Amino acid sequence: MAAKTAGKKQKFSIGIAVIYVLITLLALICLYPFLNVLACSLSGYNPVLSGKVTFYPIDFTIEAYKQILGRTTIWTAMRTTVLITLLGTALSLALTILAAYGLSIQDLPGRRVMTGFILFTMYFGGGMIPTFLVVKGVGLYNTLGALFIPQSISVFNFIVMRTFFRELPDSLQDAARIDGASYLQVLFKIILPLSLAVIATIGLFYAVGYWNSYFDALIYIQDGDKYTLQLRLRNMLFGSELGNAADDVGGTVVMPQTLKMATVVVSTLPILVVYPWLQKYFVKGVMLGSVKG
């Protein structure tokens, strides 16, 4: 018996070790592109030009960051992107919560029909040109509102949140209704305090989406002062705001490639800083919102 138990423990230990090795390799594969971008942004001219940079800087320098952060256009775009992310996430969460809660009420008249209309938009849309004409027709063209109002609700996020609300015990809501609470009081005093995990998850989905979006600004924004950070990054990556030749920064030659990599890091770092604070809610919210269909 002792030999069998030792053999099982050995097999179990080997299996766990293999799993850890595979997870470590997968993590390194996922991290390598970002580490390479970070290393290139901190490397000198010659190592980047010769392609010697892998995942650690060579000839360490921060001149690229000095030039990127010294541009007023970057700070203006950063401020615009933060504003769009905050306003868009707040509006999207509010609309998604209200829609999901309303359509999670079993005795709501026409609930199935309204849910069907919402789900229809998940598979069929008007297209880019009709959407552009609508945005221009309502006066949102070349305004910051065009970057978050037309896409303020995601049907997928709505389904996840409605599923979560439907899984909450009906007895809590029934007891509050018997005590005279209105639907809004039930929502704010009972439903929302129990739904922090899914709210944090959906909020993270929306925030990342608004932060990474550049196509809407490319279509709807003409004023350069209203460009988002991602659109500035896109223009830099395609060379419309960086020359093809190396730039001279304070006597130090900086490659356009290095400047592009530094811009990628600057635009990615804020959302990476926010994510760890919401990670535990993110994992819990995804699991709770996907238990039932």
Side-chain angles (χ1 to χ4, degrees), residues 270-288:
I271 204 69
L272 290 179
V273 172
V274 172
Y275 178 77
W277 298 93
L278 299 175
Q279 183 179 11
K280 62 178 181 179
Y281 297 107
F282 175 78
V283 175
K284 183 179 179 182
V286 170
M287 294 301 295
L288 291 174

Side-chain angles (χ1 to χ4, degrees), residues 9 24 30 47 64 84 86 104 113 126 130 133 169 177 224 229 233 249 290:
K9 288 184 178 179
T24 302
C30 295
I84 293 300
L86 294 177
S104 67
V113 175
L133 294 176
R177 293 290 297 160
L229 183 62
L233 171 61
V249 183
S290 59

Side-chain angles (χ1 to χ4, degrees), residues 5-281:
T5 303
K8 290 182 179 180
K9 288 184 178 179
Q10 185 177 5
K11 291 181 181 179
F12 180 76
S13 300
I14 294 176
I16 293 297
V18 171
I19 291 175
Y20 274 112
V21 170
L22 292 177
I23 291 176
T24 302
L25 291 176
L26 181 61
L28 292 176
I29 292 173
C30 295
L31 284 175
Y32 178 76
F34 182 76
L35 293 177
N36 179 256
V37 169
L38 180 62
C40 288
S41 68
L42 295 171
S43 297
Y45 178 86
N46 290 327
V48 176
L49 182 63
S50 59
K52 296 180 179 179
V53 181
T54 53
F55 56 88
Y56 58 91
I58 301 177
D59 295 342
F60 182 85
T61 178
I62 60 172
E63 295 297 334
Y65 289 95
K66 288 182 179 179
Q67 179 170 349
I68 293 297
L69 298 178
R71 298 187 178 203
T72 57
T73 55
I74 292 295
W75 289 107
T76 302
M78 178 77 77
R79 183 176 64 249
T80 301
T81 303
V82 170
L83 180 62
I84 293 300
T85 302
L86 294 177
L87 292 178
T89 303
L91 177 63
S92 296
L93 276 178
L95 295 179
T96 303
I97 289 172
L98 292 174
Y101 173 66
L103 294 178
S104 67
I105 300 174
Q106 296 295 332
D107 57 351
L108 178 70
R111 177 176 61 89
R112 294 184 179 274
V113 175
M114 287 185 284
T115 302
F117 280 130
I118 294 176
L119 294 179
F120 180 83
T121 64
M122 190 175 184
Y123 302 99
F124 302 97
M128 183 174 64
I129 295 178
T131 303
F132 177 84
L133 294 176
V134 171
V135 170
K136 189 173 183 179
V138 298
L140 291 177
Y141 182 70
N142 201 31
T143 66
L144 296 183
L147 304 181
F148 63 92
I149 293 178
Q151 56 274 8
S152 55
I153 291 186
S154 166
V155 178
F156 173 79
N157 294 337
F158 159 78
I159 294 174
V160 172
M161 188 166 288
R162 187 196 62 159
T163 303
F164 181 89
F165 288 162
R166 291 176 63 180
E167 293 174 1
L168 295 176
D170 293 334
S171 57
L172 294 176
Q173 303 183 50
D174 294 340
R177 293 290 297 160
I178 292 175
D179 290 338
S182 64
Y183 284 110
L184 286 179
Q185 289 176 326
V186 173
L187 173 62
F188 286 105
K189 294 184 178 181
I190 297 178
I191 301 299
L192 293 186
L194 297 175
S195 307
L196 295 180
V198 72
I199 291 174
T201 302
I202 300 301
L204 183 61
F205 284 161
Y206 279 126
V208 172
Y210 284 120
W211 183 270
N212 291 332
S213 177
Y214 79 92
F215 191 68
D216 292 329
L218 182 65
I219 296 176
Y220 301 129
I221 301 299
Q222 282 189 328
D223 188 357
D225 293 335
K226 298 178 182 178
Y227 280 0
T228 62
L229 183 62
Q230 302 304 329
L231 183 56
R232 288 289 182 191
L233 171 61
R234 182 255 181 196
N235 292 340
M236 287 183 176
L237 292 179
F238 283 93
S240 60
E241 293 191 11
L242 291 176
N244 293 324
D247 293 330
D248 189 352
V249 183
T252 303
V253 179
V254 180
M255 285 191 64
Q257 183 73 10
T258 304
L259 293 174
K260 293 176 183 179
M261 297 299 181
T263 307
V264 172
V265 174
V266 169
S267 63
T268 307
L269 191 60
I271 204 69
L272 290 179
V273 172
V274 172
Y275 178 77
W277 298 93
L278 299 175
Q279 183 179 11
K280 62 178 181 179
Y281 297 107

